[in-house]
Amino acid sequence: MASFDRFDDMNDSRLKSNILRNLLSEYVPNEKQPLTNFLSLSKVVSTIATHKLLSESPSASIDQKLQSKSRSAVDDWVERLLALISSDMPDKCWVGVVLMGVTCQECSSDRFLSFYSFWFERLLSHVKNPASSRIVRVASCTAISDLLTRLSRFSNTKKDAVSHAAKVILPIIKLLDEDSSESLWESIVHLLSTIVILFPAAVHNNYDKIEAAIASKIFSEKTSSNMLKKFAHFLALLPKANKGDASSWSLMMQKLLISINVHLNNFFQGLEEETIGKKALQRLAPPGKDSPLPLGGQNGGLDDAAWSSEQLIVSRVSALMFCCSTMLTSSFKSKVNIPVGSLLSLVERVLAVNGSLPRSMSPFMTGIQQELVCAELPTLHSSALELLSATIKCIRSQLLPYAASVVRLVSSYFRKCSFPELRIKLYSITKTLLKSMGVGMAMQLAQEVVSNASVDLDLTTLERFDAVSSKNPSFTNGGVLKACSKKRKHSNRSGVEAENAVFEVGVPHNHSSSPISLKIAALEALETLLTIGGALGSDSWRERVDNLLMTTATNACVGKWANAETYHCLPNKSTTDLVEFQLAALRAFSASLVSPSRVRPAFLAEGLELFRTGKCQAGMEVAGFCAHALMSLEVVIHPRALPLDGLPSLSDLFPESNSLARQRHNTPSLSKLNGGDVLSNRWLANVDVPSSIEIQRTVETSLTIQETRSLKVGNDLATVVSLADQDLTDIVRQADVTESAKESLGHVSEKDDMAREVVSETRDGEELAIKDSVMEEAGIGKKIESLDESDDDSIPSLKPDDYILSSDSDIES
């Protein structure tokens, strides 16, 4: 009848025990069954983790019978694993150890606390036993790491956990020295890292032994580059286990720097002056104290005859630099003193050597030696740049005392660096500097970034991903795409061959062509520069950068938006490369449009058309950014208008008066012009009449001394005309307020009419209006007539533009 039982759904708790027993019978062998399929273990592990088959979580909704059934299934599971761990067959023992590590992670807390000590001893016995196979030892180290990780989550077992962790250290250090298997080394390093991070107190008594064992592996000629990185990463974590204070961190950093400089002294023989290496080591010695020994002994591991190989020296130095970078970027529980000066000196020393021989050193180095050194220098320079980047990320704005040295170092290396990989790292360092130190650093590095990015994004070497599709309209002048189109005319081939030929001809495959990764790095550096210091480049480099980014984005996107159909005929090109390049170009172009500037963006129309087209035609990732860019440009396209209540009005400039209230019959309907009764009421509000003394004082303060004297002495027409010829526009602008006050008086004297007639005979057009305004300002000494008898001509004709704060051109009109 059990076969006819029905379950509610896949979450039914009754399923767990049945699924676990099925896995045990089908995939986990017993003492008599052979192991037929190793790959089946992955299915077992994933099923256990998905359905939580080993959890045994008690619940009030589950009856005692079901709980007992689940506990019985887990008991059978554990008994089968323990039997496999004790097996003499390596493959079955390996299966038992691997699944025991999974059990330590997935079993219930009660079961783990009851049996973890027994399981630990069974696993540790395989690490200590010399007869155990290598695969069993590797699995045992991994399973012990899983057990200690689970044990660290219980606060009441901390003392016992430290005791168990301490038992592992000596056996695995011995195993590290005896066995040369990299798979075993990797599992040992993983276990040691777990102990250092979770139980640092367990390492105190064996700290020096661990450091010596790891250093010997770093300096060994049998260690591969992959394992060098893993050993260096663990060495960077080791100071956390030695009291965890600042002195432990500083001591390790000092040892690393000494070892690096000792190795460089051997590697740079004949390429630099001998005094440089001596000064570098003297700088690392603490004042009044003896310098500590480097890693690996007195000579830092150089006693081995294998160190005659330049490749081995560079690989080990790169590993030690990586260790320094990891220490700088990893968290540490106490504040440490970072030797910034020593780190920058080391980077400068490495980057200063480019393979050329000083004249005094030429007789001491053969051509073959120079060839071997030059072959390894790019790797060494790359490690030095990574160390510089880690230093900047570590101290950020505290780099200010050394900012000049860093700027000089980056600028000088930019000029002599030609390898794309190294230039990419330089751009990354530049971005980090700009983000860390802000506008001040942008002012120093702007010209260097712009000039180098212009070279790397040169249109003559700009890679054309796809020259086949040209349905979309071009946003650039035809000169940019002329090279590819001209080559297509001479192609007699058809179909896929013609398309591939166009692609090959359009893309120069020589050394001068910058790879896509370098172009992306240059675009990201320009984007960061515009984000941090865009407002500073309006007069020097801003126009050049905006033009460059517009052209680059247009050439990257027009006619070849990244989508699934882009490369059906070009199998050698990856769509991912096109997407990344288009995104970088569009991000930088968007930054140039929204970055603060003194003028309106010059390529706003091109940007809008490009982003709108990309939103409709590009793939999901590029189209999503185009939509975001259009939203960002909304403020630039339609700046929000200021409310009318916040703008100054004529009623705010002059007090209330009855002068305009009696002249409504001469004023056009304001409600028709502007559509608002409130603004009409404000315009028609009563304004007090300024006195002639106030107008006289206004004119004298608005005009220059020479112009005021000329206006006072008879208001001579010839004098006013000569002033207008000199700088009449400025006079009109300065007298604008007085003119408004004068017109509010509502009358024009006969003297003004005469002056207006004289000016009309000599000048016409726009100049007539300017002199008219000046002559109105000149009529100061006339007698003010009665307001009730004002002429209709004296009331200015109101226009819609009169209600807006006008510019100079509006005043002249």
Side-chain angles (χ1 to χ4, degrees):
M1 297 298 295
S3 59
F4 295 96
D5 290 343
R6 296 293 184 267
F7 304 100
D8 297 337
D9 51 26
M10 64 180 179
N11 297 319
D12 195 335
S13 57
R14 294 176 295 174
L15 278 171
K16 290 186 177 181
S17 58
N18 293 349
I19 296 175
L20 184 61
R21 291 188 181 278
N22 290 335
L23 293 176
L24 196 62
S25 61
E26 294 182 11
Y27 300 104
V28 181
N30 54 26
E31 294 83 354
K32 298 180 180 181
Q33 294 176 342
L35 180 62
T36 58
N37 189 5
F38 285 91
L39 299 179
S40 61
L41 287 182
S42 60
K43 177 177 175 56
V44 174
V45 173
S46 62
T47 304
I48 290 175
T50 301
H51 294 277
K52 304 296 180 184
L53 301 181
L54 303 177
S55 59
E56 302 179 71
S57 55
S59 176
S61 60
I62 302 177
D63 56 5
Q64 295 294 329
K65 182 178 179 181
L66 185 58
Q67 292 183 12
S68 177
K69 184 178 179 182
S70 176
R71 190 179 301 109
S72 175
V74 177
D75 290 339
D76 294 341
W77 170 268
V78 173
E79 290 178 2
R80 176 74 62 85
L81 297 185
L82 292 175
L84 291 176
I85 292 175
S86 303
S87 176
D88 296 333
M89 302 179 65
D91 55 348
K92 291 185 178 181
C93 184
W94 174 79
V95 171
V97 171
V98 170
L99 294 181
M100 181 57 70
V102 177
T103 304
C104 292
Q105 292 177 327
E106 299 292 335
C107 70
S108 63
S109 301
D110 294 337
R111 182 177 291 272
F112 179 80
L113 292 175
S114 301
F115 297 99
Y116 77 86
S117 183
F118 176 71
W119 296 345
F120 175 81
E121 295 295 338
R122 297 292 297 273
L123 295 173
L124 184 61
S125 63
H126 287 293
V127 176
K128 295 180 178 181
N129 186 7
S132 299
S133 63
R134 182 175 296 167
I135 60 172
V136 173
R137 287 183 171 183
V138 172
S140 299
C141 290
T142 305
I144 291 175
S145 178
D146 295 336
L147 188 148
L148 294 177
T149 302
R150 179 72 183 276
L151 190 59
S152 65
R153 302 172 187 172
F154 300 94
S155 58
N156 57 343
T157 60
K158 185 175 181 180
K159 186 176 180 180
D160 195 25
V162 173
S163 176
H164 280 72
K167 296 178 182 178
V168 184
I169 294 177
L170 290 179
I172 59 177
I173 291 178
K174 182 181 179 181
L175 193 61
L176 189 66
D177 294 334
E178 295 176 353
D179 204 312
S180 59
S181 171
E182 290 199 353
S183 59
L184 184 57
W185 287 357
E186 187 172 353
S187 62
I188 291 174
V189 169
H190 177 65
L191 178 55
L192 285 174
S193 300
T194 302
I195 296 174
V196 169
I197 295 173
L198 299 179
F199 312 106
V203 187
H204 288 171
N205 296 332
N206 301 298
Y207 180 88
D208 295 333
K209 294 180 180 180
I210 296 177
E211 179 183 329
I214 298 299
S216 65
K217 293 304 176 184
I218 291 178
F219 298 135
S220 173
E221 61 177 332
K222 298 180 181 180
T223 308
S224 64
S225 57
N226 182 37
M227 282 307 304
L228 277 176
K229 205 166 221 181
K230 296 182 182 297
F231 282 129
H233 186 271
F234 170 74
L235 198 62
L237 299 177
L238 197 55
K240 296 182 180 181
N242 186 17
K243 301 178 182 179
D245 55 358
S247 60
S248 302
W249 190 95
S250 299
L251 180 61
M252 178 61 73
M253 178 62 71
Q254 195 175 9
K255 288 182 177 182
L256 291 172
L257 293 178
I258 292 175
S259 296
I260 293 173
N261 281 281
V262 168
H263 287 71
L264 291 180
N265 290 342
N266 187 42
F267 184 72
F268 287 160
Q269 285 184 2
L271 297 175
E272 66 176 6
E273 302 293 337
E274 295 182 0
T275 56
I276 296 178
K278 294 180 179 179
K279 290 180 179 179
L281 292 175
Q282 291 175 359
R283 192 182 298 112
L284 294 173
K289 297 181 180 179
D290 295 333
S291 177
L293 296 178
L295 291 173
Q298 180 66 34
N299 297 321
L302 290 178
D303 291 336
D304 195 339
W307 283 110
S308 59
S309 171
E310 285 78 6
Q311 182 179 1
L312 287 175
I313 296 178
V314 170
S315 61
R316 273 57 184 173
V317 169
S318 299
L320 296 179
M321 286 186 177
F322 174 75
C323 183
C324 294
S325 301
T326 306
M327 289 181 63
L328 291 171
T329 54
S330 300
S331 60
F332 204 73
K333 63 181 181 180
S334 55
K335 294 183 180 181
V336 296
N337 296 323
I338 300 174
V340 182
S342 300
L343 292 169
L344 294 180
S345 299
L346 174 60
V347 174
E348 186 175 6
R349 180 189 180 186
V350 173
L351 298 182
V353 178
N354 59 2
S356 61
L357 296 178
R359 294 182 179 179
S360 59
M361 297 295 177
S362 297
F364 301 98
M365 177 172 282
T366 63
I368 297 178
Q369 290 176 335
Q370 186 180 14
E371 178 184 346
L372 295 174
V373 170
C374 290
E376 300 299 328
L377 275 180
T379 304
L380 193 60
H381 284 199
S382 178
S383 300
L385 291 176
E386 291 176 358
L387 181 58
L388 177 60
S389 177
T391 304
I392 298 172
K393 291 178 181 179
C394 177
I395 60 179
R396 290 173 291 190
S397 60
Q398 298 180 16
L399 189 67
L400 185 59
Y402 306 92
S405 301
V406 175
V407 171
R408 184 178 65 254
L409 180 62
V410 172
S411 301
S412 62
Y413 194 67
F414 247 130
R415 299 186 189 100
K416 61 184 179 181
C417 177
S418 59
F419 291 96
E421 294 79 8
L422 300 181
R423 293 183 67 85
I424 291 173
K425 292 183 183 296
L426 275 177
Y427 281 123
S428 177
I429 291 172
T430 303
K431 291 193 302 179
T432 306
L433 282 173
L434 292 174
K435 294 177 181 178
S436 301
M437 308 192 68
V439 178
M441 185 58 67
M443 295 175 63
Q444 300 297 325
L445 287 178
Q447 295 295 342
E448 200 68 40
V449 174
V450 172
S451 60
N452 283 277
S454 300
V455 174
D456 293 328
L457 296 173
D458 187 7
L459 296 180
T460 59
T461 59
L462 186 63
E463 290 192 359
R464 302 281 297 158
F465 279 99
D466 184 11
V468 178
S469 176
S470 58
K471 298 179 181 180
N472 295 331
S474 177
F475 303 101
T476 58
N477 42 12
V480 177
L481 309 181
K482 189 181 245 183
C484 291
S485 60
K486 184 178 293 186
K487 294 295 182 181
R488 292 192 67 180
K489 293 179 181 179
H490 299 285
S491 178
N492 296 325
R493 289 168 290 185
S494 60
V496 177
E497 294 182 0
E499 294 174 354
N500 290 331
V502 171
F503 178 80
E504 291 177 0
V505 172
V507 180
H509 292 283
N510 51 22
H511 180 70
S512 61
S513 177
S514 301
I516 294 301
S517 56
L518 179 56
K519 293 181 185 296
I520 293 175
L523 289 170
E524 291 176 350
L526 289 177
E527 179 188 358
T528 306
L529 178 62
L530 289 172
T531 304
I532 302 298
L536 301 176
S538 299
D539 298 332
S540 55
W541 49 264
R542 182 60 187 272
E543 182 179 356
R544 178 184 176 188
V545 170
D546 291 341
N547 188 12
L548 175 65
L549 293 179
M550 184 276 297
T551 309
T552 303
T554 305
N555 281 277
C557 300
V558 170
K560 50 189 180 322
W561 291 101
N563 49 45
E565 293 80 17
T566 302
Y567 288 124
H568 63 282
C569 293
L570 299 176
N572 294 330
K573 283 292 175 181
S574 171
T575 308
T576 305
D577 294 340
L578 177 60
V579 170
E580 292 178 355
F581 182 59
Q582 286 186 354
L583 284 175
L586 292 173
R587 287 194 185 100
F589 187 30
S590 175
S592 71
L593 295 177
V594 302
S595 179
S597 178
R598 301 177 185 176
V599 296
R600 190 170 179 84
F603 305 104
L604 183 59
E606 291 84 350
L608 290 175
E609 185 65 23
L610 187 64
F611 291 133
R612 286 169 182 167
T613 307
K615 180 182 177 181
C616 300
Q617 299 183 9
M620 291 300 296
E621 192 172 0
V622 178
F625 176 78
C626 290
H628 178 76
L630 288 174
M631 181 185 65
S632 302
L633 290 174
E634 181 67 22
V635 180
V636 181
I637 304 169
H638 302 114
R640 301 297 181 258
L642 296 175
L644 291 177
D645 294 339
L647 295 176
S649 60
L650 293 178
S651 60
D652 297 331
L653 297 177
F654 302 104
E656 295 183 356
S657 176
N658 295 327
S659 58
L660 293 178
R662 298 183 182 183
Q663 301 171 6
R664 292 185 181 181
H665 62 281
N666 295 322
T667 306
S669 174
L670 293 175
S671 61
K672 294 181 180 180
L673 293 175
N674 208 23
D677 296 335
V678 177
L679 186 58
S680 176
N681 294 335
R682 290 182 178 179
W683 179 260
L684 298 176
N686 297 331
V687 181
D688 288 340
V689 182
S691 63
S692 60
I693 299 176
E694 294 175 347
I695 298 176
Q696 175 72 18
R697 185 182 299 113
T698 303
V699 174
E700 291 178 356
T701 56
S702 300
L703 303 179
T704 61
I705 298 176
Q706 181 180 0
E707 295 164 352
T708 306
R709 291 176 180 174
S710 301
L711 293 176
K712 283 184 177 181
V713 182
N715 296 324
D716 184 42
L717 179 61
T719 306
V720 175
V721 173
S722 64
L723 291 173
D725 292 338
Q726 295 175 2
D727 198 3
L728 193 54
T729 305
D730 294 336
I731 299 175
V732 174
R733 189 182 296 109
Q734 293 171 355
D736 179 54
V737 179
T738 308
E739 181 181 357
S740 302
K742 183 67 179 174
E743 290 177 355
S744 65
L745 295 177
H747 90 291
V748 179
S749 65
E750 296 178 357
K751 192 173 184 178
D752 295 329
D753 295 335
M754 294 175 62
R756 190 177 290 112
E757 293 175 1
V758 174
V759 174
S760 63
E761 294 176 0
T762 58
R763 307 277 179 156
D764 55 3
E766 184 177 351
E767 186 176 357
L768 172 61
I770 297 175
K771 290 184 178 180
D772 186 12
S773 302
V774 175
M775 294 308 298
E776 287 181 2
E777 296 299 338
I780 300 174
K782 63 183 181 299
K783 182 178 179 181
I784 300 177
E785 299 178 359
S786 174
L787 296 175
D788 296 334
E789 298 177 358
S790 59
D791 290 335
D792 295 341
D793 296 337
S794 64
I795 300 178
S797 177
L798 299 178
K799 298 179 181 180
D801 295 335
D802 293 334
Y803 308 111
I804 305 174
L805 293 179
S806 59
S807 59
D808 295 344
S809 60
D810 296 329
I811 294 175
E812 293 176 1
S813 61

